[in-house]
Amino acid sequence: MKHLSILGSTGSIGVSTLEIVAGHPDRFRVVAMTAGRNLELFARQIRQFGPRIAAIASREDVPRLRELCAGLEVEILGGIEGLIAAATAEEAAMVVAAIVGAAGLVPTAAAIRARKDIALANKETLVTAGHLFMEMVSEYGVRLFPVDSEHSAVFQSIEGQRSQDISRIILTASGGPFLNTPSSQLAGVTVADALNHPNWSMGRKITIDSATMMNKGLEVIEARWLFDAPVEKIAVNIHPQSIVHSMVEYIDGCVIAQLGTPDMKAPIAYALSHPERVATGVKPLDLTTFSGLTFCKPDMEKFRCLGLAYRAINEGESMPAVMNAANEVAVEAFLGGRIGFVQIATVIERTMDAHRAHDLKSIEEVLLADRWGREKAREICLGLVN
Ligand code: NAD
Ligand code: MG
């Protein structure tokens, strides 16, 4: 029986994780879970999965959550201390890090320090503080399993191989809803258009990241740290069908890829059950039903965010954290109708232009860079509307 703590249980990844747990009550048990704001769903999950600890992001929500969970034997906590208590719950062997954004940093770091294995969905932790997280992973001797489908594919394609034999990691990208939209029409797209992802059903923030292709930029940075690969060896191929989840090319010319129906339950389950596999209910892949699987290079001029992510990782130090913060602010402003779609890249670029990259020696310093990036990006957003 593997005991799990799930950070972000009410999100898209959290809900899929719980579906897998519910399908395998003999293998997995939830001992702690956390949520942001969706109290009703969280209370239903607590009732169904019976964790010992349930933590909600805001302390103000604790009384209402206690009311909703009346009669249940659960310790209800709130605020960052509550999230940390859930992330470090004594019985948990593995923590599923599925909070969205830089808010996932502190609880995930606490879990590593408490020597929990990590199933990592929260890519922003590696984007903002990859070097610190990978150092902590080795210092505390924990295992880090990727949940992101591309990184799970790479992970599965390198098992049993020697890292010096890898010549390239090729991340695939669907290209999102605007793959075939001419650049000249991007300025007019709406929030609803951008949220309409062709292949994946995900949280709102990552769905917008997919539409701008910042998601793939974040994933290049994530891959750089997870697989200790120089960024020049990480390529991006557009593959609109999202069947090949990523590939690894070796020095002998062989390429190993992982394929499957696009459903996050598959990579989540592999992170939970590695090195074994468990049934997920994911629709079996029948390649004969496809008229073709296609691949092409991304249009870097149209998807400016992808280039900005390469720039951030090349400049290094605090730049990726600042870029990530600016992206979070810009995406929120776009979702709130305060800036247009193409202005997301503009806000990020101007924030990066205003930043002088510096060394980050601790998570606290990462959080300071994150705050700086947020403030600068908010200021730039205001300037754009006025
Ligand atoms: P989501 O928005 O659906 O869910 C996020 C979860 O985090 C929710 O439980 C929410 O309540 C909680 N949360 C939000 N803000 C919080 C805060 N400030 N403090 C504490 N909790 C907070 O997001 P998602 O799509 O499930 O994505 C989660 C993470 O996984 C992201 O980092 C995303 O990039 C990554 N990811 C998601 C997918 C996917 O298919 N959804 C795929 C790959 C990677
Ligand atoms: Mg992905």
Side-chain angles (χ1 to χ4, degrees):
M1 178 70 74
K2 190 180 252 182
H3 288 182
L4 304 173
S5 168
I6 303 178
L7 311 180
S9 69
T10 55
S12 161
I13 294 288
V15 167
S16 294
T17 304
L18 289 175
E19 276 178 45
I20 292 161
V21 170
H24 298 279
D26 50 324
R27 294 186 73 114
F28 305 117
R29 177 167 157 53
V30 180
V31 295
M33 51 213 266
T34 80
R37 282 194 294 243
N38 191 340
L39 298 188
E40 274 72 25
L41 173 59
F42 194 36
R44 284 200 300 280
Q45 292 180 334
I46 296 169
R47 205 167 284 280
Q48 182 180 353
F49 291 93
R52 182 175 64 78
I53 300 180
I56 190 88
S58 165
R59 249 189 235 106
E60 286 165 20
D61 288 329
V62 169
R64 173 84 186 118
L65 186 59
R66 286 205 175 121
E67 258 172 53
L68 290 170
C69 295
L72 298 180
E73 255 186 59
V74 55
E75 187 180 353
I76 293 186
L77 304 169
I80 187 68
E81 293 79 13
L83 301 184
I84 290 173
T88 59
E90 203 186 337
E91 323 86 294
M94 174 177 265
V95 171
V96 180
I99 291 176
V100 61
L105 247 74
V106 170
T108 308
I112 297 174
R113 291 193 189 105
R115 298 187 191 276
K116 312 295 185 193
D117 285 339
I118 307 289
L120 186 74
N122 179 263
K123 60 191 81 183
E124 294 88 350
T125 49
L126 289 182
V127 170
T128 55
H131 63 298
L132 295 173
F133 272 93
M134 295 318 284
E135 267 168 37
M136 277 195 284
V137 162
S138 76
E139 185 185 343
Y140 291 94
V142 305
R143 289 174 302 170
L144 186 58
F145 298 101
V147 165
D148 217 339
S149 58
E150 295 76 1
H151 304 75
S152 177
V154 172
F155 179 63
Q156 295 180 56
S157 302
I158 61 175
E159 285 189 302
Q161 305 292 333
R162 303 185 316 163
S163 58
Q164 65 265 40
D165 294 341
I166 297 173
S167 59
R168 256 184 342 147
I169 290 173
I170 304 160
L171 301 179
T172 52
S174 69
F178 304 133
L179 179 60
N180 299 314
T181 307
S183 300
S184 58
Q185 288 175 22
L186 279 184
V189 303
T190 65
V191 170
D193 296 333
L195 283 174
N196 187 20
H197 195 282
N199 304 342
W200 297 97
S201 153
M202 311 178 282
R204 284 158 67 88
K205 190 258 177 185
I206 183 175
T207 304
I208 301 302
D209 286 347
S210 299
T212 62
M213 284 199 73
M214 175 53 91
N215 183 48
K216 212 49 54 180
L218 300 179
E219 291 183 355
V220 168
I221 304 177
E222 185 184 9
R224 184 260 169 272
W225 295 114
L226 268 177
F227 307 114
D228 191 21
V231 74
E232 316 79 68
K233 287 193 172 182
I234 308 172
V236 171
N237 280 186
I238 301 279
H239 166 46
Q241 298 82 14
S242 297
I243 294 299
V244 175
H245 296 312
S246 278
M247 307 173 248
V248 179
E249 178 193 80
Y250 290 90
I251 49 175
D252 57 1
C254 290
V255 176
I256 302 182
Q258 186 258 328
L259 287 71
T261 303
D263 186 326
M264 286 308 293
K265 285 205 288 296
I268 295 170
Y270 196 56
L272 298 188
S273 66
H274 180 273
E276 298 173 8
R277 290 181 187 269
V278 294
T280 56
V282 171
K283 189 168 159 243
L285 177 63
D286 180 359
L287 284 173
T288 64
T289 61
F290 288 84
S291 56
L293 297 183
T294 57
F295 300 86
C296 65
K297 291 201 167 126
D299 179 342
M300 304 291 280
E301 276 171 32
K302 177 169 152 188
F303 295 107
R304 284 158 60 209
C305 287
L306 184 55
L308 291 172
Y310 274 101
R311 175 183 151 194
I313 190 69
N314 283 323
E315 292 184 22
E317 302 191 305
S318 52
M319 196 55 92
V322 165
M323 175 201 72
N324 181 70
N327 181 53
E328 288 190 26
V329 168
V331 168
E332 230 177 83
F334 171 67
L335 284 170
R338 296 187 297 281
I339 65 170
F341 183 75
V342 292
Q343 291 176 321
I344 296 175
T346 307
V347 170
I348 301 166
E349 184 167 39
R350 290 193 191 164
T351 307
M352 288 172 69
D353 288 346
H355 184 64
R356 293 261 290 281
H358 56 79
D359 195 13
L360 296 175
K361 291 188 217 58
S362 63
I363 301 291
E364 291 68 33
E365 289 185 14
V366 176
L367 295 176
L368 286 176
D370 174 78
R371 191 178 315 153
W372 185 92
R374 275 167 209 277
E375 280 165 13
K376 180 55 76 184
R378 282 201 190 100
E379 193 184 303
I380 293 168
C381 281
L382 283 175
L384 285 177
V385 225
N386 288 337

